[in-house]
Amino acid sequence: MAKHTVITMPGDGIGNQVLPESLRVLKAVGFDAEYIHADIGWDCWCNNGNALPDRTIELLTKHKLGLFGAITSKPNKAAQAELKPELQGKGYVYYSPIVTMRQKFNLDICMRPCVGFTGNPLNYIRKKVGGGFDEPQIDTTVFRQNTEGMYGGVEWTNPPENVRAALNSHPRFKAFANVPGPDLAVSCRIITRNAAKRICTAAFEFAKNRGFKGVTICEKPNVVRETSGMMEEVAKDVAKNYPGIALWSTNIDAQLMWLNKNPEEYNVIVASNLFGDILSDAFAGLVGGLGFAASGNIGDDVAVFEPTHGSAPKYAELNPPIVNPIAMILSAAMMLDHVHEGPKADRIRKAIAEVVREGKVRTYDMMRFTGGSKAIQGAASTVQMTGAILENLK
Ligand code: NAI
Ligand code: MG
């Protein structure tokens, strides 16, 4: 029997192209695992009115470890229209399966490393005062609270009477009191002390293990006083347990400006859900973008690893596939770290670093093409990129 069982959920679009590539790499490093396929995504919604099938939930509950590709999500109206005719009008409501999965298994720690590989033409560069450019080494990991905040899903357009009454009890709601229901949309930003403590602790533990000298809490406590205020307060409490590690506090708006000035100074950033989502995409942009952005959704019991990109429908139909498998392969390496197979993960990251450094094999996204898919020439395919990584594993 294999040592590990991994639930593989390719999902939609390019998820089906990149996930199998990560399995080739896992096999090549000798990861002792059995893989069980599970369905997720748009077809499940269209055919069954449920994008996250019960079998997938059961498999994850049992085996606790998942690799996920990407899914397609569409707004409510489009989702209803694509539901198969016999299911339409029966009260099915579309929920994003990855958001549901994070909440269902309390995968509350989202870890998103943004680490630059030397030689990547997409890396951030900065003009020097005296002329020329420098290319600082970016090594940032964003810890994003993954289950609450702005993505908690407690929201209404035309809030019901009792909600409206509660809102009316707040003096600041006077300004909105006369807005007709259908013209009023409300999304709750919920932060709980316990979840805030867990994400801050994860960030500090990571900083400790990696030997980083500080953690940045990135919120907006001067304006969003209650929720960002609680995040910052908890970060300060947690910091007391890590005397050798400094806590810096930045505001989300200023942080995005500093991202363009001195991104190399931020190694560990912790934030609530929406801010963490924004920060991790922004930092990923400095190290090559979506083709390089890996992530882990980690709970106490279950963990699921996925590239942060989506299903990229524009590219999903191309044959042979040309999207970059590196984000998915790096996500698989994070899974190895998680199951204490760090040396295998390091081998994978070293092989990727070597391919990028050599610069002989590059997928289209690494080549700064303009003019659409017809202009793409000389780029490696998805399979060729994995092949180059496998070569360097030897
Ligand atoms: P996307 O991430 O799918 O693609 C945006 C663009 O990024 C692509 O057109 C392509 O140019 C580039 N790109 C993405 N992955 C790449 C890769 N591996 N290699 C090279 N280039 C890559 O985001 P988009 O277009 O906004 O959304 C498409 C669908 O994906 C939507 O239905 C959206 O809801 C869903 N989505 C799903 C996510 C998930 O499964 N976790 C996350 C983000 C979006
Ligand atoms: Mg995102």
Side-chain angles (χ1 to χ4, degrees):
M1 211 178 112
K3 191 167 161 203
H4 300 278
T5 302
V6 182
I7 307 309
T8 55
M9 298 165 279
D12 300 312
I14 65 165
N16 292 290
Q17 303 176 342
V18 293
L19 194 137
E21 299 304 302
S22 69
L23 301 188
R24 289 172 69 197
V25 176
L26 287 171
K27 281 173 193 157
V29 291
F31 180 50
D32 182 12
E34 178 195 356
Y35 300 94
I36 304 179
H37 170 94
D39 291 326
I40 190 168
W42 199 245
D43 286 345
C44 301
W45 160 254
C46 296
N47 294 322
N48 308 309
N50 178 11
L52 182 62
D54 291 344
R55 176 177 175 270
T56 304
I57 293 175
E58 282 156 21
L59 284 169
L60 279 172
T61 308
K62 182 165 176 210
H63 298 290
K64 304 181 190 316
L65 194 59
L67 264 185
F68 167 61
I71 46 98
T72 296
S73 262
K74 296 186 188 179
N76 271 339
K77 274 189 190 150
Q80 289 303 327
E82 291 187 34
L83 200 53
K84 81 177 178 196
E86 50 270 44
L87 297 184
Q88 288 190 10
K90 298 249 167 81
Y92 289 100
V93 182
Y94 177 80
Y95 293 105
S96 158
I98 182 66
V99 175
T100 310
M101 193 195 294
R102 288 169 186 155
Q103 288 172 347
K104 189 156 202 98
F105 294 108
N106 195 28
L107 308 178
D108 64 327
I109 311 291
C110 181
M111 190 180 163
R112 295 187 162 181
C114 304
V115 183
F117 288 105
T118 304
N120 187 344
L122 305 179
N123 280 348
Y124 167 85
I125 54 167
R126 179 171 50 204
K127 209 167 183 176
K128 290 202 260 191
V129 179
F133 294 88
D134 69 347
E135 186 180 322
Q137 171 63 46
I138 313 279
D139 183 350
T140 304
T141 299
V142 176
F143 283 82
R144 162 191 174 191
Q145 206 296 325
N146 217 17
T147 47
E148 46 186 52
M150 285 307 293
Y151 296 169
V154 182
E155 52 183 8
W156 302 266
T157 299
N158 195 3
E161 257 330 296
N162 54 347
V163 173
R164 189 103 196 195
L167 292 169
N168 269 319
S169 72
H170 195 291
R172 289 283 178 133
F173 196 73
K174 277 203 179 70
F176 311 101
N178 295 324
V179 178
D183 297 337
L184 181 70
V186 177
S187 300
C188 293
R189 187 182 203 242
I190 297 173
I191 300 288
T192 64
R193 196 176 295 279
N194 188 41
K197 189 173 172 190
R198 280 176 53 85
I199 193 71
C200 290
T201 304
F204 271 93
E205 277 297 309
F206 177 80
K208 187 173 103 183
N209 293 336
R210 287 283 308 273
F212 290 128
K213 58 183 194 292
V215 170
T216 301
I217 171 88
C218 180
E219 284 290 326
K220 186 88 182 178
N222 54 333
V223 179
V224 196
R225 291 174 181 277
E226 303 305 326
T227 46
S228 282
M230 184 177 283
M231 282 293 292
E232 192 190 41
E233 185 186 311
V234 170
K236 283 181 181 162
D237 280 347
V238 170
K240 288 179 192 148
N241 302 326
Y242 299 86
I245 302 173
L247 175 70
W248 299 301
S249 185
T250 59
N251 285 340
I252 179 73
D253 45 353
Q255 181 67 64
L256 292 178
M257 184 268 295
W258 282 319
L259 188 89
N260 284 298
K261 292 190 132 180
N262 54 346
E264 72 275 26
E265 286 175 25
Y266 300 92
N267 295 119
V268 189
I269 304 196
V270 56
S272 56
N273 209 338
L274 172 62
F275 290 174
D277 198 8
I278 293 170
L279 284 165
S280 57
D281 273 20
F283 271 94
L286 305 178
V287 297
L290 291 172
F292 288 85
S295 77
N297 304 283
I298 302 165
D300 269 342
D301 198 30
V302 175
V304 176
F305 297 84
E306 54 157 334
T308 67
H309 63 71
S311 59
K314 272 194 295 189
Y315 292 86
E317 302 305 322
L318 299 181
N319 191 12
I322 60 163
V323 293
N324 193 345
I326 289 179
M328 182 79 233
I329 294 169
L330 286 171
S331 305
M334 288 180 76
M335 180 184 78
L336 292 178
D337 285 330
H338 181 74
V339 298
H340 310 293
E341 299 268 15
K344 291 189 172 73
D346 288 340
R347 271 182 72 205
I348 294 175
R349 285 185 284 255
K350 275 203 187 107
I352 293 172
E354 193 48 31
V355 173
V356 177
R357 194 193 59 75
E358 276 176 5
K360 283 192 252 160
V361 179
R362 287 177 172 162
T363 43
Y364 81 94
D365 55 312
M366 298 171 72
M367 300 177 85
R368 295 189 184 278
F369 284 118
T370 52
S373 57
K374 287 199 185 70
I376 294 171
Q377 272 173 10
S381 69
T382 308
V383 171
Q384 285 169 333
M385 174 54 94
T386 313
I389 294 166
L390 293 175
E391 276 297 305
N392 278 281
L393 277 173
K394 285 180 184 160

